[in-house]
Each structure stands twice: as C-alpha cells, then as structure tokens.
Amino acid sequence: MSIALQANEGRPPAQRHQATLTEDASNKAGAPPGAMVVFQGVSKTYGDAPALHAMDLAVREGEFLSLLGPSGSGKSTILNIIAGAVAPTTGRVLLNGKDVSAVPPRERGLGMVFQNYALLPHMNVFDNVALPLRIRGVGKDELARRVRNALERVGLIGFDHRKPRELSGGQQQRVGIARCIVYSPSVILMDEPLGALDKKLREQLQGEIKRLHKDLGTTLVYVTHDQEEALNLSDRVCLMNGGRIAQLGTPDELYFEPVDEFVANFVGESNLIEAQVTAPGAVTTADGLLLVVRSTEGHARGSKVKVLVRPEKIVALPAGEPSLPGQNRCTGTVASTSFIGGMTRIELERAGAAPLLVKTISSRASDRWPPQHPLTVGWSASDSVVLKA
Amino acid sequence: MSAGAQSLGRAGDGGVIVDRLTRRYERLRNVMALAVYLFILPPTVIVVPISFGGSGEMTFPPRVWTLELYEKLFSARAWVDPIVQSVKVAAMTTVIATLMGVPAAYGVVRFEFPGKRLVMLLMMSPILVPVIVISLGLYLYLSRLHLIGTGFGLVLAHVAYVTPFMMMTVMAGVKKLDPALEFATSIMGATRTTVFVRVVLPQLRPSIFAGALFAFLVSFDEVVIAWFLTGPTTTTLPVKMYSSIQWDISPVIAAVAALLTALSAVFCCAAALLQPAAPQSTN
Amino acid sequence: MGRKDGLLYVGPASAFLLFVLLVPLALVVFTSVWTAQGPTLSAYERLVGSALFLRTLWNTIEISLTAALASMLLGYPVAMHLARQTPRKRAIYLVLVLVPFWTSILVKSYAFTVLLGRNGLLNQALSWMFQTQVQLPLLFNRLGVIIGMTNYLIPFIVFPVLASLLAIDRSLYLAAEVAGAKPPRIFFQITLPLTLPGMVAAGLSTTVMSMGFFVIPAVLGGRKDAMMSNLVDFYTREALDWNMASAIGVFLLGIVTLAAIAGEWIQKRGARRGGAAAPAAVAMA
C-alpha cells in the first residue's frame, strides 16, 4: 500500500479531500522532504515558565523516534503539541507537509496511546477499538473485519466482549494500541505507554511494539523516561533537557558519541575524568595521568575538558605491563564491589584523583576482588570521548 | 496562525486548540448554564433590595430607599421575641449537637464495631426521612411528655434533626486526618481521651467550626418541625414568618427575609473559607 | 484499638437519636394502627378509599417527578459549565450555586410570592418589555409550585453531577478527539454514559425529597396543589385525626425506604459498570 494512501486513511472523511489539495501547496512551506512531523521554531511557555524553548524538529516518515528525558524536560509537551492538545506559544507544526497549527486534534488524523490506557470503561473491547471506525462511518462488515484484524495483531483474539476493568494492565494497553492502529493513522503518538506496567511486562510489550512498528512502517513518536527503552526501540532518540534538545541522533550516537555531560550521564553510566588538552589527541589529568583520546577536535590546547569512558570499556590488566599504543592505563585499589547479576560494578579508588567506575562480567564471589585489592585497569583511546568541561 | 481558529487560552490549561465547531458547542453550553444561573439567583437575592423599599407597593428597583421596614421589624415585639427565641434555640442546639456529634463523627470514621451500619443509618436518618414524618412523630411523642410549646422540646427535636448535618461536615474533616499521628501518640503511652483531646480535636477545629455554623443555620432556618412543636409564646422566627406569609402578608416579611438571607450568606462564606466545599478534580 | 472503643464515641449521639428520633418514628407507626378501639388497619382502609388522599397522592407524584425532571434538565448544563472551569473560576461560579443552596426555603418561597404574583415583579418586567399588561398566572397554582420546587432542587442536582463529571478521566476526551470524535459524539458516548449513574441517583433523591415538601406547596400552591405533607398537617392540626395523619406518614416512610433500596441497587450496578462516579454521586446526593 502506498504511503500516501495510508496517510489519507488516517484522517476522517472531511479531511481527505482537503489534504490532497493542500499537500502540494504546503510542500513549498519549507518542510524537509520525507518528513512526517515538522516543528519550526516551536516553543511553549506557561505564564512565566518556559516548558519548551524554540526548537526545530523533523520526524522522518516511518521512523521510530523516542522523546527521552527526565520529568519536566519538555518531552510530553512536544507530544501534546503534535497531538493538538496544547497550542504552541510560537512556531508552526507541520504534519505531512500541511500546517496544522490551527487544526484541532480530531482533524489531524493521528493515533495516540496513553499511559493510563484511556479506554472507555462502559464499552467493551470491540466497541472501544471500533470507535474510530464508527466515527469515520465504516460499514458494519468491514468494521468488524478491521477490528478483528487489529485485535489479532496485538494478540487479543476472543476478547471482544470483555470490559476494560476485566483486563490486566498489559491487556488494556494492547487494546489501546489496537484502537490506534485500526484506522491506520499516518503518525502514532505514544505517551509513556508502558509506564504503568511492571518490568517483565514492559520488556515483553517493548518487543511487541518494536515488531508492530516494523510490520506497519508507521511514523512513531514515543515518549519515555527510560533510557534503556529508548535505546532499544528507536531509530533515533531525541534527548530533552530543560525544554531544549540535548541531542538528537541514533541510539549508537547518543551512547558512544554524546555531545555533553548531560547526555553522557543520562544514557548509561559514565566516568567523567577531568583533564586539560595538552596535545592533539592527548589530555593530561590533574594528577598528571596522560590519556590518549579518540579526538580533541574542537577543543583548544590548554582548554579544560572531561573525558568520558564507559565503565564496561575498562578492563583489568595484569600489573606491571607497559601500555600499548592507543591504550590508557591507571592503577588504584578496589573500594567496593557490587554484584548485580550479570555484571559486577567495581569502584576503583585512585590516589589523588576521583574514583573510577568499572563494570565487568561477573565471576563467582571467590574470584571477585575484595576491597583494598590493588588493581590495574586500562581502556583504549577510541573509547575515550572528549566533552566540554 | 491562520484565521478560522484561535487558541483559547484558558489559565492553567496553557492554550488548547479549540476550533469554531467546538466553540459553538461551548457557547451553547454557556448560554444554557447562564440561563439557569439567572433562574436560581433572583429568589435568593431579590429580597434584599425589596426590603429597602418601604411598606408601599413591591417594585424593583424600589421607588424609595428606606430602612422603614427594619425599624418596624425591630420595634415590634411580635417579631423581636421570635428572633430572640430562634437565636436561643439555635445556640443551644448547636452546643448540644456539637458535644455529641463530634465524637460520634470521629468514632464512625475511625472505628469498627458491631452494629456500625445500623448506627450510621440511625445517624443519617434525619436526612433520609421526610421532615413531615419526623415532625409528626415528635409531635406525638413530645405531647405525651408535655413538652409541646416549650423551648426545651424544640431544642431536643432540633438536636436530633441537626446532628447528621454537623456529623457529615466533621466526618469529612476526620477522613483527612492522618491516623498515624494518633497511633504514634498512643504508642507513647497516651490514653484514648488524651489522644482525642490533644491530637484529634485541635486538627479538627476548622471542621468543627464549620459544622457548628451549619448546625446553627439549619436550626435557625428550620420551619416544619418548629411549626408543629412551638406554641404562641415560644414561636421561632421561621414559624412567625410562615404564618405571616400565609395569613397576614406584612411587608415587614421582606426585612425578615433579607436578614435571613444575609445570615445564610455570611455562614456560607465562613464555611467556604474554613474548608473546601467544592469537589476537587481528580486529574 | 478495642472493638468497644467506637461505641464509646458514638454512644451519646446514638442514644439520643434512638430516644428522640427512632422512638417518635415508631410512635407514628404505632399511632397509625392503634385507635381507641385497639389495633386496626382502619386508617389504611380509609386512606385507600379516600378521594382526598388519592388525589393528593397523585398530585405529589406528578409534581415531584416534574420538578425532579426539570431540575435535572436545568442542573446538568450548570454542572457541565462548572466542570470545564479552572479550579479558581469554578470556586467563583460555585458561589452562584452555593448561596441559593444555603438560603432558607422560606425566604425563597416568599421571594417567589413577590416575583410570581399577578402584579409581581416578573409580570411587571414582562409588561414593561412588551408594553402591554402582562398578567401570567404563576402563583398559587401548579406552575408556581413546580417553579419553586425546581428552583430549590437544582443545587441538589448540580453537586453530584459535578462530582461525576470531574471523576471522568481527562485523557478519555483526548483519546476520543484524536480518534476523530466531534463534540456531540463525545457528549453522547462518553460524558453522558459515564455520568448516568450519578444523574439517576441524584434524580431519585430529588424526587424523594420533593415528595416530602411542605413549605413550597403551602406557600406557592393553591388548594388543589396540596401535597402529602400538607395533608399530614391538615389531619394533625385541623382534623385532629392523628390516626390518619400517621397512616399517611407511614406511607411516606415506605416510599422513602423503597427509594433508598432502589438507590443502593443502582449504586451497585453503577459500580459494576466501572464508573467511579456513581458512589461519589450517591454519597453527595
């Protein structure tokens, strides 16, 4: 099925004709080609408090974009602006090339999944999923076929006559997703859909959502505060901080090439070693340790920086061996060891410097290092990312 | 933004996109609501300006502004005595109802005991049973006890009638209390009484006060029971007003009505200030 | 806490109500079946055969249902309006409902005599507006009673319905909107069904409340508009037939009990449907 047809399907009948007419005209509005959702200079201020600073954003067609960040970072605000639940203070919102800044939610042809499911309690599963189709005047037979299809996709065959309160949280959310996909909207919004579920269920549904996205190919904008979830599911992650985009990139980029300390700390665990640039590709720490890094580009000689090293990239080395080229090495004593299952976290104390966090694959207790044990560790230059201090 | 729709900034909502269609329905709703507000307000409000109109024809706005009716009211024993009687009865009722109702409200919320459902039903019965049946019952009952036409009889009746109203107010307050405070105090060795007096009552002060105001107002305004139980020397203000309306329409009634309205308004404000009476949104 | 502790706290009030309320009510039942000739159901027989009683009963039902229905139709828009305000504005608008709610029924009835009379304020205003002599008969008849009652009952509808409306999950509205629903559909398929239990409970309680009304029919009605309470008054103080008065009283009590049971049943059904609104509404009603 062509993407255009899919996109049109999502909108209620009145809008389809209009959409085809205006699509050509508004492509001249300056939207990047292939972008399904575009923010141009969008900001949102509540009274004196800015929830979102002026920003641009382009969500590509068919992409799974996560809006990640701590509470109050603005990620939910962005989603609500796309949905039309909140009007931006400045800027324009484009959906599939059309300016929707003044269009109410019911005419945007979107789909939305909520954290608390938002199922109508007095209707059964079938009627809940059928609601968007009834609104669009779909005939009885086709309606039944499409509802059953949607329920099948989310694994809820035979649940037609149950009421929401008879379902578990995971089942209710599946109904929410079914209600969303049944009318094939052009963009699906998910507002922390798995936030109310426990860990095992969350992981299971994450997999299902990922699979669903692959099957449907719909553009998906997903809000979460769980960085593991964002890394796992998304094509790109938009990490928000204080109403601004901290970094927008692939999960790989955010993890291995964070642009600043906030991103480095939010996504995964990190060691941030304070140092000064002394030569291209080399920095010196306060306690005189010379470190080789991936690149010092953009940082002048003598400028203060922080070197990011992921704990799992630090390995234990036999003591006394000389460093290999491209390898960093330092010594310290084990301050504490935390066995958390597959990995073991080791806090390494270093004389005259901040402790290092090291993560290794666990061995049995008898083989783990006790406190006060001296330890030499090393990591490669390519695993050392230089960030502004 | 394009014409055809505007962002309706609602304070706290931050500006929801509301298009012409939605606003049309909202306007319809607002017009209907306004019509109803205009229906329920006049009877409450109109008596006040009328009472300043003097004893001539009832017009609005009044042709003259005078305190003539109030002078007549306060200089007539036929009216002043009932006012005093109402104040006395309401005050006594409030005191007794508070003394019994506050512990009862606390007991009902905090404790489980055999027959609790029956007790609750009993407490709430004055609200559930039609006033006329209560009045008839009390009439039959108190006449056997020769208490008809006495202030004491009326006080007894009013205490029974007013207790559930006061209890509901205080119960709402008790539900907001943190039981952990009471438990912590008892762990320290305090007796039940100490816990009640030193921990519960101080926290309940606003609720108790609001409940007492409510009780006073209900008793002061109460007409049906009083109609059955009072005699010529113990008439209360509402009874006097009722018989006046039925049989000797005197323009002074307007002044009485205005005073009662003022009383209600004062108590309404006081109670509203003391506790949030409005239902809170859950979202 | 001991099991008996609770009894200590509720003891005085319970004992008081037992002796000053329950006993008198029992006395009413007793008086309805006890005459100078001993126990008999003659009062009830006379009631059933009394044209006066039957007519009054019919009046009462008619007036109560009409007034309750009218107050539901009028109260719902107010509740909707209040529900959509911000909490601060809502508190202000609520004053417009609270002040009438706290005003004595006698004051309001009197005000209506001033407003609704042939030369009353309403007719005066209409005469001035249409520049002719307008004298609508609105007082001392059925219409006057219904107007007065509806006016009194509206706040009793607004509060429970408002509680119902506020209990609705806000995201339901957004979910329906995103799916494409227009305001009428949202009202009929979300708002109305979810507030229905609360509405029914409120309607039931206002109907029952109306049936016991005394002041409004006495002040605003004509002789043909007497309701059950007025009949009890007549039998008690004028006809001095306490036997009959009690029989009517028991009858009223029976109706109220039936209504309470019906109300409980509705509340249970509403709770089973998953509406949290129903218990909240019934509690407020």
Side-chain angles (χ1 to χ4, degrees):
Chain A
M1 211 195 304
S2 81
I3 304 292
L5 206 62
Q6 265 186 357
N8 252 343
E9 247 249 80
R11 302 209 190 92
Q15 297 310 305
R16 288 195 210 140
H17 186 58
Q18 267 188 14
T20 353
L21 285 180
T22 53
E23 226 144 328
D24 289 324
S26 35
N27 263 327
K28 300 178 186 147
M36 208 57 191
V37 182
V38 176
F39 274 22
Q40 291 176 339
V42 169
S43 78
K44 181 66 194 173
T45 312
Y46 291 99
D48 287 332
L52 205 61
H53 293 100
M55 55 176 282
D56 296 330
L57 182 66
V59 184
R60 301 180 194 134
E61 197 169 350
E63 137 174 79
F64 191 134
L65 177 80
S66 283
L67 297 172
L68 176 66
S71 340
S73 53
K75 54 191 195 298
S76 289
T77 311
I78 294 179
L79 203 74
N80 282 320
I81 290 179
I82 301 176
V86 165
T89 310
T90 66
R92 287 202 308 168
V93 179
L94 307 178
L95 282 180
N96 203 9
K98 177 171 174 259
D99 186 339
V100 296
S101 306
V103 175
R106 85 176 92 88
E107 287 171 24
R108 295 192 179 197
L110 302 168
M112 193 159 178
V113 177
F114 298 80
Q115 183 174 22
N116 61 355
Y117 325 128
L119 299 179
L120 304 184
H122 55 289
M123 291 187 186
N124 61 25
V125 168
F126 186 92
D127 291 328
N128 262 292
V129 178
L131 182 65
L133 298 181
R134 293 213 169 100
I135 291 173
R136 285 159 177 75
V138 174
K140 224 173 70 155
D141 292 327
E142 178 169 351
L143 183 143
R145 183 182 60 81
R146 287 164 68 170
V147 169
R148 300 249 153 77
N149 263 342
L151 286 174
E152 196 179 319
R153 264 194 195 277
V154 299
L156 285 181
I157 308 178
F159 277 69
D160 285 16
H161 298 290
R162 303 249 197 121
K163 289 267 177 65
R165 66 167 178 281
E166 298 168 32
L167 306 177
S168 69
Q171 289 167 334
Q172 288 187 58
Q173 196 54 291
R174 291 211 182 94
V175 176
I177 294 174
R179 176 178 67 186
C180 186
I181 63 177
V182 77
Y183 59 106
S184 313
S186 51
V187 179
I188 294 181
L189 308 174
M190 295 200 180
D191 192 353
E192 307 215 41
L194 309 181
L197 307 173
D198 63 63
K199 192 162 192 286
K200 276 271 175 309
L201 195 51
R202 245 204 312 251
E203 285 167 14
Q204 185 187 353
L205 274 175
Q206 277 173 20
E208 292 185 28
I209 291 177
K210 197 168 174 185
R211 184 181 48 84
L212 205 61
H213 174 252
K214 225 165 82 168
D215 290 343
L216 295 177
T218 317
T219 312
L220 189 56
V221 182
Y222 189 100
V223 168
T224 178
H225 62 274
D226 181 342
Q227 42 111 347
E228 283 183 18
E229 195 170 84
L231 295 181
N232 177 23
L233 301 177
S234 341
D235 296 323
R236 284 197 301 166
V237 176
C238 178
L239 176 58
M240 305 288 301
N241 185 24
R244 284 179 234 269
I245 299 181
Q247 186 167 354
L248 172 59
T250 63
D252 237 49
E253 284 165 10
L254 260 75
Y255 190 77
F256 292 111
E257 294 164 32
V259 299
D260 65 17
E261 199 176 329
F262 172 76
V263 179
N265 273 327
F266 196 90
V267 182
E269 298 190 271
S270 47
N271 288 298
L272 292 164
I273 306 172
E274 293 181 357
Q276 255 188 330
V277 178
T278 43
V283 305
T284 312
T285 66
D287 58 315
L289 193 61
L290 180 71
L291 300 174
V292 282
V293 298
R294 182 191 303 166
S295 157
T296 50
E297 207 178 303
H299 302 275
R301 185 191 293 248
S303 59
K304 288 219 166 80
V305 296
K306 287 195 180 167
V307 181
L308 163 68
V309 187
R310 295 289 183 192
E312 68 275 5
K313 297 295 186 184
I314 305 179
V315 295
L317 300 173
E321 268 184 25
S323 300
L324 298 171
Q327 184 193 63
N328 293 306
R329 158 197 288 261
C330 74
T331 55
T333 47
V334 174
S336 68
T337 314
S338 304
F339 169 64
I340 52 174
M343 302 289 276
T344 297
R345 300 170 87 246
I346 300 169
E347 200 181 316
L348 188 74
E349 238 168 40
R350 298 188 299 134
L356 274 182
L357 180 63
V358 180
K359 261 158 99 165
T360 62
I361 295 182
S362 302
S363 0
R364 298 291 313 248
S366 45
D367 291 332
R368 297 201 289 268
W369 291 294
Q372 329 267 268
H373 191 282
L375 192 61
T376 306
V377 297
W379 64 93
S380 69
S382 56
D383 292 325
S384 313
V385 181
V386 172
L387 306 172
K388 228 191 318 205
Chain B
M1 292 191 210
S2 62
Q6 290 134 46
S7 193
L8 245 185
R10 270 182 226 139
D13 214 357
V16 177
I17 297 193
V18 173
D19 64 329
R20 236 183 288 152
L21 180 67
T22 314
R23 273 199 299 144
R24 226 179 278 155
Y25 281 103
E26 282 191 0
R27 224 173 284 149
L28 174 65
R29 178 202 73 209
N30 290 343
V31 166
M32 289 200 288
L34 182 68
V36 179
Y37 285 125
L38 290 177
F39 175 54
I40 52 177
L41 275 179
T44 304
V45 171
I46 201 87
V47 285
V48 177
I50 290 204
S51 66
F52 291 108
S55 44
E57 200 182 291
M58 298 266 171
T59 57
F60 181 78
R63 265 190 265 266
V64 288
W65 288 86
T66 160
L67 287 176
E68 179 189 342
L69 291 176
Y70 290 93
E71 289 168 13
K72 277 197 184 167
L73 174 65
F74 288 112
S75 59
R77 286 214 66 181
W79 285 102
V80 173
D81 286 350
I83 294 179
V84 171
Q85 182 71 5
S86 281
V87 172
K88 279 201 246 171
V89 168
M92 284 236 65
T93 303
T94 305
V95 169
I96 301 177
T98 307
L99 286 174
M100 290 197 306
V102 172
Y106 177 68
V108 157
V109 176
R110 266 293 172 274
F111 300 102
E112 290 300 321
F113 46 88
K116 181 169 170 179
R117 287 207 69 190
L118 286 174
V119 167
M120 287 222 59
L121 193 60
L122 180 64
M123 304 288 204
M124 293 297 139
S125 48
I127 304 183
L128 302 170
V129 175
V131 157
I132 192 71
V133 180
I134 299 177
S135 307
L136 176 62
L138 286 167
Y139 181 73
L140 297 171
Y141 187 57
L142 292 181
S143 64
R144 277 189 170 66
L145 298 175
H146 303 292
L147 285 174
I148 297 289
T150 66
F152 180 62
L154 186 58
V155 169
L156 284 182
H158 271 189
V159 170
Y161 182 63
V162 147
T163 297
F165 295 101
M166 134 141 298
M167 274 186 65
M168 283 200 314
T169 317
V170 178
M171 274 166 67
V174 176
K175 287 188 183 146
K176 294 208 184 90
L177 295 182
D178 182 1
L181 287 180
E182 298 155 44
F183 186 61
T185 315
S186 65
I187 291 228
M188 289 187 248
T191 63
R192 265 187 275 110
T193 325
T194 313
V195 171
F196 186 66
V197 170
R198 284 185 171 279
V199 178
V200 176
L201 284 185
Q203 291 182 76
L204 280 182
R205 228 175 294 176
S207 294
I208 297 178
F209 197 50
L213 285 180
F214 200 4
F216 188 92
L217 190 63
V218 171
S219 166
F220 199 88
D221 278 345
E222 202 288 315
V223 58
V224 185
I225 299 178
W227 173 248
F228 277 74
L229 297 185
T230 54
T233 54
T234 53
T235 317
T236 60
L237 187 62
V239 171
K240 170 79 183 144
M241 187 173 167
Y242 175 66
S243 40
S244 209
I245 293 176
Q246 296 286 69
W247 291 296
D248 87 72
I249 301 269
S250 149
V252 175
I253 302 179
V256 179
L259 280 180
L260 286 176
T261 307
L263 190 70
S264 298
V266 164
F267 278 39
C268 171
C269 293
L273 286 173
L274 281 171
Q275 49 167 226
Q280 303 288 323
S281 169
T282 53
N283 293 301
Chain C
M1 306 265 183
R3 291 201 79 190
K4 297 293 179 57
D5 285 0
L7 288 173
L8 204 70
Y9 286 91
V10 302
S14 307
F16 191 91
L17 283 171
L18 196 75
F19 285 111
V20 185
L21 197 68
L22 209 61
V23 170
L25 287 179
L27 193 54
V28 172
V29 178
F30 177 75
T31 311
S32 72
V33 294
W34 191 276
T35 63
Q37 287 84 37
T40 163
L41 289 176
S42 62
Y44 295 99
E45 287 166 5
R46 279 193 289 152
L47 271 188
V48 174
S50 156
L52 174 63
F53 174 72
L54 292 173
R55 198 173 56 234
T56 312
L57 176 62
W58 177 244
N59 279 350
T60 307
I61 295 176
E62 214 181 29
I63 296 177
S64 303
L65 282 176
T66 314
L69 214 64
S71 64
M72 281 202 282
L73 284 173
L74 293 179
Y76 202 88
V78 172
M80 284 195 69
H81 175 253
L82 288 171
R84 289 292 273 168
Q85 305 299 316
T86 65
R88 185 168 296 173
K89 276 209 188 141
R90 191 183 306 141
I92 298 178
Y93 280 108
L94 258 178
V95 170
L96 299 180
V97 182
L98 280 172
V99 171
F101 178 70
W102 283 70
T103 307
S104 125
I105 192 171
L106 208 48
V107 168
K108 286 200 263 195
S109 305
Y110 168 70
F112 271 121
T113 64
V114 173
L115 285 170
L116 298 177
R118 273 190 194 277
N119 288 313
L121 294 181
L122 186 60
N123 279 323
Q124 281 180 29
L126 289 173
S127 303
W128 174 82
M129 255 204 305
F130 294 108
Q131 292 296 313
T132 78
Q133 183 72 282
V134 176
Q135 283 202 331
L136 297 174
L138 298 169
L139 196 57
F140 306 132
N141 58 15
R142 185 65 51 98
L143 195 52
V145 176
I146 292 183
I147 293 177
M149 266 199 199
T150 307
N151 185 290
Y152 184 76
L153 291 175
I154 288 177
F156 292 92
I157 299 280
V158 170
F159 296 136
V161 174
L162 179 61
S164 279
L165 285 170
L166 291 176
I168 298 179
D169 186 352
R170 288 289 157 109
S171 54
L172 287 183
Y173 291 122
L174 183 59
E177 276 217 58
V178 171
K182 296 210 184 93
R185 183 183 291 264
I186 291 184
F187 177 73
F188 285 109
Q189 295 212 320
I190 300 183
T191 313
L192 207 53
L194 288 179
T195 54
L196 206 58
M199 267 275 271
V200 171
L204 191 65
S205 69
T206 46
T207 309
V208 171
M209 202 187 333
S210 317
M211 293 179 87
F213 272 2
F214 174 80
V215 175
I216 293 181
V219 173
L220 298 178
R223 268 183 310 121
K224 284 188 293 170
D225 306 307
M227 293 171 68
M228 303 263 264
S229 304
N230 310 108
L231 203 60
V232 172
D233 180 40
F234 168 74
Y235 277 115
T236 310
R237 299 173 113 249
E238 292 183 46
L240 297 179
D241 187 346
W242 297 354
N243 188 233
M244 278 288 264
S246 304
I248 304 177
V250 172
F251 191 80
L252 258 178
L253 206 53
I255 296 182
V256 170
T257 314
L258 282 175
I261 296 176
E264 283 265 334
W265 180 78
I266 291 178
Q267 183 183 354
K268 292 222 178 72
R269 280 197 72 196
R272 267 196 287 121
R273 280 231 187 99
V282 171
M284 288 215 73

